[in-house]
Amino acid sequence: MRTTLTTLNSLPEGILDCKATRLHELLSGPTLIHLQGQKQQPMFISVLLHGNEYTGLLAIQSLLQKYHDKPLPRSLSILFGNIEAARLGVRKLEDGPDFNRIWPGMEHPPCVESKIMQAVVDEMQQRDVFISVDVHNNTGLNPHFACVNSLQAEFLNLANLFSRLTVYFLRPKGVQSAAFAKMCPAVTLECGKPGVQYGIEHAADFLDTCLHLDSLPNTPPPHHNIDLFHTVARVMIPEQYSFSFDNSNADLLLNASIDRMNFTEINAGTVLGRTKTNSSIPLYSRAENGMDNTAEYFQVDNGVLSTRKAVMPSMFTLNETVIRQDCLCYLMERMTDQSLFKKPIIS
């Protein structure tokens, strides 16, 4: 891949109907494209930070086709991310980093790709970015929802334009939305599974709405208009444990319909699977401060893995590759105290 960021001021011919798997024929690597609009302060959009999550690309193509013969209401800066992973239809390259874990603030050592993302941030800071939108998909059964890294009113109002379901999180580190939250209201869109038409239309409509914004309200959304959740744990399976959804010989045999629990408030004692590890828990979770909180949320009794307390999971997936590359799920708790909605921007 290229070791520097490519920057363009116009769209390459053919990009508006190019499939994600063929973008490498038009773009040599991570590429930032600036398009002039009527309002100068640009909106930033990133797509394909995960190469197999291509709804963002299709939404951008739909949006720009709409404006092919008329001016954009606002300037746009679009980052096309992991082109090589998109070529292969995978989340990330086997020997490469996750493109949504290498932005400023990351916990990993610097790499070539993280320097590219730093260059993107520097460029957009110089351009006085207006808002930032990062478009993603997920592999499990999830409703459409938005994620923010700040509880400032502008962030919540931006998220609320996409969905009443909003998730506030501080981990994992090194994500695009957290990097841009230092500069402007920033949101991550979770648009369901890749390529679903409703997800494409929902994302495109949201982006079009954002193009017409002059500002965002500085008072929080009304309590009855938003369901706000706080991520309290990221759950992973240690490498030393095998796991499966259908192989009873694995150390951990997970419930084959586990992703149906996403965005459902499940009770203490909810069974997640069976394990051969006896009393040891074959997974671990980390709080937003990085501390181990596994024992707070999980228990094993007579080979049955279950929840220790009531909680709401998100992003449960049946994709074993994604589980190994990222995580099994996140755990959330509902936020009901509106005084928290004025919490300052992340540090």
Side-chain angles (χ1 to χ4, degrees), residues 61-74:
Q61 291 172 332
S62 174
L63 179 71
L64 294 179
Q65 286 165 356
K66 177 178 177 178
Y67 288 99
H68 79 280
D69 59 352
K70 53 186 176 181
L72 288 165
R74 177 178 292 280

Side-chain angles (χ1 to χ4, degrees), residues 145-198:
F145 63 99
C147 298
V148 294
N149 308 107
S150 169
L151 293 174
Q152 289 183 325
E154 292 86 350
F155 288 70
L156 296 176
N157 282 301
L158 179 60
N160 204 214
L161 289 173
F162 182 70
S163 174
R164 66 175 295 124
L165 283 174
T166 300
V167 176
Y168 166 65
F169 75 95
L170 296 179
R171 282 183 181 268
K173 300 288 189 181
V175 299
Q176 185 268 28
S177 58
F180 272 81
K182 308 283 188 180
M183 302 184 289
C184 66
V187 67
T188 300
L189 308 185
E190 292 288 351
C191 302
K193 293 188 177 183
V196 176
Q197 188 62 31
Y198 171 62

Side-chain angles (χ1 to χ4, degrees), residues 83-247:
I83 304 302
E84 285 303 312
R87 178 181 186 174
L88 300 175
V90 296
R91 176 186 176 91
K92 70 180 197 68
L93 298 181
E94 191 67 32
D95 58 350
D98 185 321
F99 270 39
N100 203 29
R101 302 291 185 270
I102 55 172
W103 292 80
M106 69 181 187
E107 296 178 306
H108 305 295
C111 59
V112 169
E113 294 85 355
S114 68
K115 293 177 181 177
I116 291 175
M117 301 314 166
Q118 181 67 64
V120 173
V121 170
D122 293 344
E123 174 82 8
M124 295 313 303
Q125 189 165 29
Q126 290 178 5
R127 289 175 177 263
D128 190 25
V129 59
F130 172 57
I131 58 174
S132 168
V133 181
D134 186 23
V135 188
H136 283 265
N137 294 111
N138 40 76
T139 54
L141 295 174
N142 290 279
H144 291 188
F145 63 99
C147 298
V148 294
N149 308 107
S150 169
L151 293 174
Q152 289 183 325
E154 292 86 350
F155 288 70
L156 296 176
N157 282 301
L158 179 60
N160 204 214
L161 289 173
F162 182 70
S163 174
R164 66 175 295 124
L165 283 174
T166 300
V167 176
Y168 166 65
F169 75 95
L170 296 179
R171 282 183 181 268
K173 300 288 189 181
V175 299
Q176 185 268 28
S177 58
F180 272 81
K182 308 283 188 180
M183 302 184 289
C184 66
V187 67
T188 300
L189 308 185
E190 292 288 351
C191 302
K193 293 188 177 183
V196 176
Q197 188 62 31
Y198 171 62
I200 299 164
E201 293 172 357
H202 191 186
D205 288 346
F206 172 83
L207 296 175
D208 197 12
T209 297
C210 291
L211 279 180
H212 290 84
L213 291 175
D214 290 318
S215 62
L216 288 160
N218 59 8
T219 55
H223 179 72
H224 58 271
N225 281 353
I226 185 169
D227 290 319
L228 182 63
F229 299 92
H230 179 202
T231 297
V232 293
R234 182 174 182 235
V235 184
M236 291 152 282
I237 300 177
E239 289 290 339
Q240 67 264 33
Y241 293 121
S242 62
F243 71 93
S244 178
F245 293 96
D246 55 15
N247 181 0

Side-chain angles (χ1 to χ4, degrees), residues 293-312:
N293 60 1
T294 310
E296 181 180 352
Y297 291 101
F298 301 102
Q299 59 190 358
V300 169
D301 184 25
N302 291 324
V304 176
L305 172 67
S306 64
T307 54
R308 186 180 290 275
K309 62 189 296 187
V311 72
M312 175 179 280

